[in-house]
Amino acid sequence: MKFLLLPHVPRQDKPDHDQLRELVEYAVLAEEWGFDAYGIGERHDRPAVSSAPPVLLSHIAARTSTIRLFTAVTTLGLLDPLRAFEDYSTLDSLSGGRLDLVIGKGAYPRSSQLFGVTPENQWERLQENYELFRRLWTEKNVTWEGRLGRSLQNAEALPRPSRKHLRIWHGSGSSKSSADFAARHGDPVFSSNGSGPIGRYADLIQYYRERFTAYGHDPRRARVGSGTGGYFGARTSQEAIAKYRPVFEARLAVNRTFDGGSISYETVEDWIENSSVLVGSPQQIIDKVIGQHERLGHELLHVHVDGEVLDRADYLATLELFFSEIAPVLRRELPSRPLDGGH
């Protein structure tokens, strides 16, 4: 098992510039702790401040040396694919080939509205932008006539990437179209495995694997990443729940304010029992991840600690606990392929 750290939900009482510096600081710590990868999401409205992942990840690349750099996700359907290529090709070269893209159409209507993207055209825009982005990465001169109006004539996109192949994961929570699109191109899929019961996500991953084989790809090349609803570990389950309870309540408040109340759980106990969130003692978390792996077969797990109401000592302590007692067991019990390379 490989581990991807995502930053915590932003604190609304902190200035944006402080939050941006924290995103970089935690990436440096993630490398020191032993995380395999660090991810920056793309969102263009509150509560997030990470509207420019390539800028943030470039700064992180200069401060680190080995950790892989993920977008989680980049909303490629909102972007100009040529400009996105220029940003991410530059980032990949400067980082020594440490970039992985996770793309998605985005789940936040306010962000889409800023770019004139509608629910009716967002999926088509993502597909078309992906196809052009891929060609720009692999071909030196591209002529393109897009269905949505973007056209290029013998375009040489610069700088040319140092790697011919870039791994692009397709982020999906419930969309079979997204899973099918990933399978068609032989790409990995990243299941959000978020707030719903695991069966929903397991069905999607099974569909992805079936379509991957149906499109003629070697099924052994299929690769799956999985999210979680969050993480907080402590020495005992009682301590973990007690410290996590205010975190859950703050998360509910942010969700209801900014995201329309998509979280349906009313109590922390129900949330821990029935969602993918990893809260408890080290052994409880190990058992839950192994149980999820039996359903998903994932090789990459994203870990994030909602730190809005945690003090810094608790935030750092729970991540240190993860790598001292949880990660070694999961790496031994659930071996996985390296993350480096472009396939």
Side-chain angles (χ1 to χ4, degrees):
M1 182 71 72
K2 301 293 188 294
F3 302 103
L4 162 69
L5 179 65
L6 296 185
H8 57 71
V9 174
R11 293 186 61 146
Q12 299 309 300
D13 60 345
K14 282 190 176 182
D16 290 351
H17 60 268
D18 286 342
Q19 294 190 56
L20 290 169
R21 280 195 286 265
E22 278 192 352
L23 292 176
V24 176
E25 176 190 358
Y26 285 126
V28 174
L29 288 173
E31 183 170 89
E32 293 176 1
W33 285 322
F35 276 89
D36 302 283
Y38 185 79
I40 294 290
E42 178 180 343
R43 185 166 176 177
H44 300 274
D45 63 303
R46 297 291 177 189
V49 296
S50 53
S51 59
V55 178
L56 276 165
L57 289 172
S58 291
H59 189 45
I60 289 167
R63 296 279 308 277
T64 59
S65 58
T66 59
I67 196 166
R68 293 202 66 78
L69 309 172
F70 272 63
T71 63
V73 302
T74 185
T75 50
L76 190 57
L78 306 185
L79 309 177
D80 177 81
L82 175 59
R83 187 71 185 114
F85 164 84
E86 293 171 340
D87 286 341
Y88 286 114
S89 178
T90 300
L91 167 58
D92 192 54
S93 292
L94 289 174
S95 68
R98 287 190 278 149
L99 174 66
D100 276 53
L101 286 185
V102 185
I103 65 169
K105 59 180 173 42
Y108 306 109
R110 294 187 305 279
S111 289
S112 299
Q113 290 166 5
L114 288 172
F115 292 86
V117 176
T118 68
E120 292 74 29
N121 68 13
Q122 62 179 356
W123 176 237
E124 186 179 5
R125 284 178 62 105
L126 176 62
Q127 288 180 303
E128 183 168 305
N129 286 0
Y130 166 89
E131 290 165 359
L132 177 53
F133 183 93
R134 270 293 193 200
R135 286 194 57 190
L136 291 167
W137 196 277
T138 57
E139 301 176 27
K140 289 185 177 180
N141 289 281
V142 174
T143 296
W144 174 271
E145 189 64 45
R147 299 179 299 275
L148 301 178
R150 189 66 166 99
S151 61
L152 294 172
Q153 187 67 36
N154 293 324
E156 181 187 15
L158 299 172
R160 296 310 304 155
S162 58
R163 290 187 294 158
K164 184 175 181 180
H165 299 288
L166 173 70
R167 183 185 295 120
I168 299 180
W169 304 71
H170 296 247
S172 179
S174 59
S175 170
K176 283 191 172 182
S177 296
S178 183
D180 182 84
F181 192 66
R184 184 192 319 168
H185 290 280
D187 291 335
V189 70
F190 204 105
S191 169
S192 65
N193 193 23
S195 59
I198 192 171
R200 180 175 79 182
Y201 305 103
D203 290 345
L204 185 74
I205 295 306
Q206 180 60 33
Y207 177 78
Y208 161 74
R209 294 186 188 279
E210 291 170 356
R211 298 306 299 158
F212 195 93
T213 302
Y215 281 117
H217 303 297
D218 184 345
R220 293 171 297 181
R221 286 192 55 239
R223 189 187 291 253
V224 174
S226 176
T228 67
Y231 158 75
F232 189 84
R235 292 294 174 186
T236 67
S237 59
Q238 293 85 357
E239 179 188 358
I241 294 172
K243 288 187 174 181
Y244 185 76
R245 189 181 302 279
V247 175
F248 171 73
E249 292 169 353
R251 172 110 177 246
L252 272 185
V254 169
N255 181 261
R256 288 165 178 165
T257 301
F258 294 102
D259 296 327
S262 58
I263 294 177
S264 60
Y265 303 93
E266 295 296 331
T267 68
V268 68
E269 289 82 7
D270 191 23
W271 173 246
I272 293 170
E273 177 68 23
N274 295 303
S275 80
S276 63
V277 69
L278 305 174
V279 175
S281 67
Q283 191 59 54
Q284 286 174 310
I285 290 169
I286 290 166
D287 291 343
K288 191 165 186 178
V289 172
I290 290 175
Q292 292 175 357
H293 182 269
E294 291 173 354
R295 303 288 302 278
L296 301 174
H298 54 301
E299 299 181 59
L300 175 65
L301 177 71
H302 103 231
V303 177
H304 75 272
V305 181
D306 290 336
E308 189 166 6
V309 298
L310 289 174
D311 62 35
R312 181 178 173 84
D314 282 335
Y315 184 87
L316 298 179
T318 196
L319 285 170
E320 289 168 353
L321 180 69
F322 185 89
F323 265 93
S324 64
E325 298 193 20
I326 299 171
V329 177
L330 292 175
R331 282 180 166 151
R332 183 181 68 246
E333 296 296 320
L334 305 173
S336 57
R337 290 168 284 185
L339 277 177
D340 57 337
H343 294 286

